[in-house]
Amino acid sequence: MKIHEYQAKELLLAYGIPIPRQKLAGTIEQAALAAQALGGQCVLKAQAHTGGRGKAGGVRLAESASRAAEIAGELLGKRLVTEQSGPAGYPIEKVLVTARERIESEYYLAVALNDALACPEIICSGEGGTEIEALARERPELIHHIIIPPESGYCEYHGYEAARPLGLSPERKRRLVSILRGMYRLFVEKDCSLVEINPLAAIREDTLAALDAKISFDDNALFLHPELEALRDPSQEDPNEARARETGISYITLDGSIGCLVNGAGLAMATMDMIRSLGARPANFLDVGGSATAEKVASAFTMLLSDPRVKVILVNIFGGITRCDVIAAGIAAAARHTELSIPLVVRLQGAHLAAGQRILSESGLPIIQAREFREAVEKAVTAAGGERL
Ligand code: GDP
Ligand code: MN
């Protein structure tokens, strides 16, 4: 689960990390009052669950309360589309008004999970700010990783190691070590998958402050933290993921163009790996479950069809407890209700295969059939236009 910047900053503050003074506004009047309370000079920031807001006009400087009101009027009620948001963007229902800091330099700082080592790690860079994604692509050596063994947890020397490449003054180094202690404690106590500050800014009087913050929580641990549920903002959530949660389908939106309908989490992950290894990207993770009904399959299929980013659908089913004929009936039922305007690659194996194949061929759907796993993925990648990474 993601939360807004203003919520992430309040959490940081609760863990002893300095943030600029801030006020939340849902109307133009509130924005003007907030700007006035902050002394006129302020920053207005669209609250939307996406990065890249600065470059997309979602972070704006104002010199006065009346200018702040104008900017709030331009932002509130619009959708923010950024390089990271996808074409639909996110609705802006609130703007955050913050005190305006004079920035000496910007750093990148995060505590995240290193999947390969199954450990938390600190990620930091002396070149923080809005160009961090480009930096990660073009100069990855400027982004530093410090592994934190979970058995020791965060120790001061981890903080000093992170500080070394940033070229900080001794006072700011000391502050960084303490900020990282707070970030690590937050990361562990609230079961986060990411605690990110970008930029962490060097500002007045030899201090540091978090000018932007992003926090994500591990959904599987949310039941341990009922207080976090109050931070959820449904207006920012993917409608497909919300619908899937209601239907009992495991579904996660990804950024590629191959829509996957698979049974079993293991096969679903293997399918995504195979797509990536053949140079393309999955549009989603979708596991209809080990004992899928035709209705579940139909609703999963309809979900994939409703996603404009999906250029081809790949069905990869191994019939064990799930029967191939049940899956086939679900696909045929869904395709009857929605026009199938994109290629559909189907690989069925296992229980009741012949009956499943009969249902599909009698459905008259223009299906690209495949027998083997790799063959199915190759056909899907080709049908998607051979899209490369
Ligand atoms: P993002 O683009 O969604 O990551 O939004 P950020 O909150 O990181 O803002 C983008 C950029 O706006 C930052 O990298 C800063 O350069 C600038 N910015 C944000 N807050 C302030 C501030 O208080 N003062 C000044 N001068 N610039 C700011
Ligand atoms: Mn940022």
Side-chain angles (χ1 to χ4, degrees):
M1 181 177 88
K2 292 183 182 172
I3 57 174
H4 285 296
E5 173 195 3
Y6 79 93
Q7 298 166 318
K9 281 177 164 170
E10 280 168 13
L11 268 172
L12 290 181
L13 188 63
Y15 280 81
I17 297 161
I19 59 164
R21 280 197 298 150
Q22 64 174 33
K23 291 182 186 296
L24 191 67
T27 64
I28 295 174
E29 296 71 32
Q30 287 171 0
L33 284 173
Q36 210 160 32
L38 294 169
Q41 287 234 345
C42 60
V43 187
L44 288 106
K45 312 185 73 175
Q47 296 301 285
H49 284 192
T50 178
R53 294 168 305 161
K55 285 187 185 169
V59 177
R60 312 268 290 274
L61 306 180
E63 272 67 44
S64 65
S66 60
R67 181 69 189 126
E70 264 174 45
I71 295 172
E74 289 167 26
L75 293 174
L76 285 167
K78 303 277 164 46
R79 293 185 76 88
L80 184 66
V81 179
T82 77
E83 276 176 6
Q84 298 172 30
S85 69
Y90 288 80
I92 308 172
E93 296 186 344
K94 300 268 183 336
V95 291
L96 180 64
V97 188
T98 78
R100 187 154 141 197
E101 304 291 348
R102 211 183 53 76
I103 302 174
E104 281 175 35
S105 22
E106 299 189 327
Y107 308 100
Y108 178 91
L109 202 56
V111 177
L113 213 51
N114 181 312
D115 295 329
L117 298 173
C119 264
E121 66 175 357
I122 296 170
I123 307 172
C124 64
S125 175
E127 314 269 321
T130 53
E131 297 299 332
I132 194 74
E133 281 80 16
L135 190 75
R137 270 196 313 275
E138 289 151 23
R139 305 282 313 271
E141 72 280 7
L142 295 180
I143 297 178
H144 309 276
H145 299 256
I146 296 125
I147 298 300
I148 306 190
E151 54 276 22
S152 72
Y154 174 78
C155 303
E156 289 215 336
Y157 61 83
H158 294 126
Y160 281 105
E161 205 177 322
R164 197 177 326 130
L166 306 190
L168 297 170
S169 69
E171 173 58 20
R172 285 200 179 116
K173 250 183 214 171
R174 204 183 54 72
R175 290 176 188 271
L176 185 90
V177 169
S178 138
I179 288 172
L180 277 168
R181 183 185 308 116
M183 287 171 77
Y184 186 79
R185 200 157 67 81
L186 168 59
F187 182 84
V188 172
E189 285 182 3
K190 301 289 185 192
D191 288 301
C192 301
S193 46
L194 177 70
V195 176
E196 181 191 83
I197 300 177
N198 183 37
L200 177 77
I203 57 168
R204 71 201 131 73
E205 290 154 18
D206 219 11
T207 60
L208 294 170
L211 296 200
D212 185 20
K214 191 182 201 176
I215 295 180
S216 313
F217 303 103
D218 181 346
D219 288 338
N220 293 311
L222 276 178
F223 76 101
L224 294 169
H225 310 285
E227 79 283 2
L228 296 178
E229 199 52 43
L231 303 180
R232 187 186 289 282
D233 181 351
S235 78
Q236 304 290 318
E237 296 197 332
D238 182 305
N240 268 347
E241 285 184 13
R243 203 181 319 159
R245 218 181 8 247
E246 285 159 23
T247 335
I249 298 167
S250 304
Y251 174 94
I252 294 166
T253 298
L254 301 169
D255 59 2
S257 60
I258 299 182
C260 306
L261 193 160
V262 188
N263 68 322
L267 186 59
M269 286 191 279
T271 304
M272 296 190 306
D273 284 351
M274 183 74 89
I275 291 172
R276 294 288 300 223
S277 79
L278 293 177
R281 298 163 84 98
N284 63 281
F285 168 95
L286 196 163
D287 170 15
V288 286
S291 52
T293 59
E295 290 73 35
K296 243 186 190 177
V297 173
S299 93
F301 198 78
T302 309
M303 246 166 62
L304 292 181
L305 279 177
S306 73
D307 185 341
R309 301 166 314 128
V310 172
K311 301 284 177 273
V312 51
I313 292 181
L314 168 61
V315 176
N316 186 15
I317 298 291
F318 186 82
I321 298 169
T322 305
R323 295 166 43 158
C324 292
D325 56 339
V326 171
I327 299 278
I331 294 172
R336 260 198 304 279
H337 293 121
T338 333
E339 197 191 335
L340 185 63
S341 52
I342 53 175
L344 169 61
V345 180
V346 178
R347 180 240 178 184
L348 293 176
Q349 273 299 357
H352 300 260
L353 174 63
Q357 283 173 329
R358 196 170 333 113
I359 292 172
L360 288 181
S361 58
E362 283 168 6
S363 72
L365 292 169
I367 291 171
I368 304 169
Q369 298 251 17
R371 282 205 75 74
E372 300 303 330
F373 182 3
R374 188 187 172 94
E375 174 199 354
V377 177
E378 278 170 352
K379 285 180 169 167
V381 172
T382 307
E387 166 223 39
R388 294 286 146 202
L389 283 175

